[in-house]
Amino acid sequence: MTELTDLTATGLVEGYRKGEFDPVEVTRAVLERAERIQPEVNAFVRLLPEEALEQARASAGRWRRGEPAGLLDGVPVTVKDILLLRGHPTLRGSRTIDPAGRWQEDAPSVARLREHGAVFAGKTTTPEFGWKGVTDSPLSGITRNPHDPSRTAGGSSGGSAAAVALGAGPLSLGTDGGGSVRIPAAFCGIFGLKPTYGRVPLYPASAFGTLAHVGPMTRTAADAALMLDVIGAPDTRDWSSLGPAGLSYTEVLGEGVRGLRVAYSPSLGGQVAVRPAVASAVRRAVERLAGLGAYVEETDPDEADPVDAFHALWFAGAARVVQQLRPRQRELLDAGLREVCAAGARLSALEYLAAVDVRTDLGRRMGRFHESYDLLLTPTLPLTAFEAGAEVPGGSGLKRWTGWTPFTYPFNLTQQPAASVPVGVDADGLPVGLQIVAARHRDDLVLRAAHALYEAGAAGLTAAGS
């Protein structure tokens, strides 16, 4: 018999509808799983058992009356501790934020989930202010990989990825400014979507500006589509949020990939050294899409590595985050964050605008690329999870996390939708991710392709520890 913690959000909603179980049973099971995994993986900043059970009891009553509040009524969800959750501190992985306060607002995505009856089980870990591609912070320590606790879960939404992978709720809200949904999704073997910028409103505005996206982290593409149907609604607090999507992402999932024009770039034109096990797993998934009727061509986008431009925008954002801190507070910051803040503070306005020019040109070239191709496929990352507690792999000679994430941050610069799909494991049993990218506003194509892989049995991993 399938455990309640292994069910997807779509499976839970169907079970509630049929009366096979209720939200209280599910929430208790999820909270028990979360408490059990926490000592080993450290996925949570805080769990909310009393509040979650109160919400679950209210949901159970609605289901008994045949009056569910929305698409996710009674489904447990966790929230990265970058996003506001009413009634609870949002500390962003930092010892510089005072937890005292009224904390009376929900972030837009949280508010939409609440309107649809979701049950909030807890807040998940993040590196300080979400600044890097692994999850450790001075506030909450190291978050570990659910498949091997000696390895990193990735980041910056590492707590969310570990929680979903281990059954502590089927849905989590993550944020992605340079890969922070897709990186931990790949390392932990789950599905993670960075939607088109503005599809999911963000408030308060990120200091990282229009690099920062909010997205679903789930075990299937179908769950992500359902979640995006809920959270992808406008919010007046975000002036850059998009209008209504004009479609249901859930309803278009079954349209598949037949006839889609797909570009497969295994190494961005030889710019990236990809480990053989990763390359093999990704290629097999690409071949499966071709077998499902997609027209696949091995080709590369016209893209030189934009890392210097990304660094200018990212480091400037980091400097802005800490600008108001007093010297004594700065001493509390992650040492690596202090370094990038110092680099950002040294940038001139002209250097920042030059980075914007690079970004603009990259967006133009990717727009032209997608006139010929509906989708671009790459590895999500060139490697699998490395040692926990390190920003870069030992012995790599790399300085910053961007050195091992060359496939992810370009698509924050261009604001395109991009997802990571689990497509296998390496010899150590560590997950491998395939990245699916589409033109701006074509989140539906990303979800259709990912769902096709799941339906064909070419995506998805058994949750570690379940």
Side-chain angles (χ1 to χ4, degrees), residues 339-355:
E339 290 177 10
V340 302
C341 289
R346 291 192 294 268
L347 289 166
S348 69
L350 289 177
E351 288 171 318
Y352 185 92
L353 291 172

Side-chain angles (χ1 to χ4, degrees), residues 4-5 16 22-36 47-50 52-54 56-57 60 74 76 119 121 167-169:
L4 293 177
T5 51
Y16 297 156
D22 69 31
V24 177
E25 295 174 75
V26 171
T27 300
R28 284 197 179 112
V30 164
L31 290 169
E32 289 171 4
R33 178 67 65 88
E35 289 171 357
R36 189 162 80 243
L47 290 169
L48 310 171
E50 294 181 6
L53 287 169
E54 180 181 348
R57 285 189 286 270
V119 171

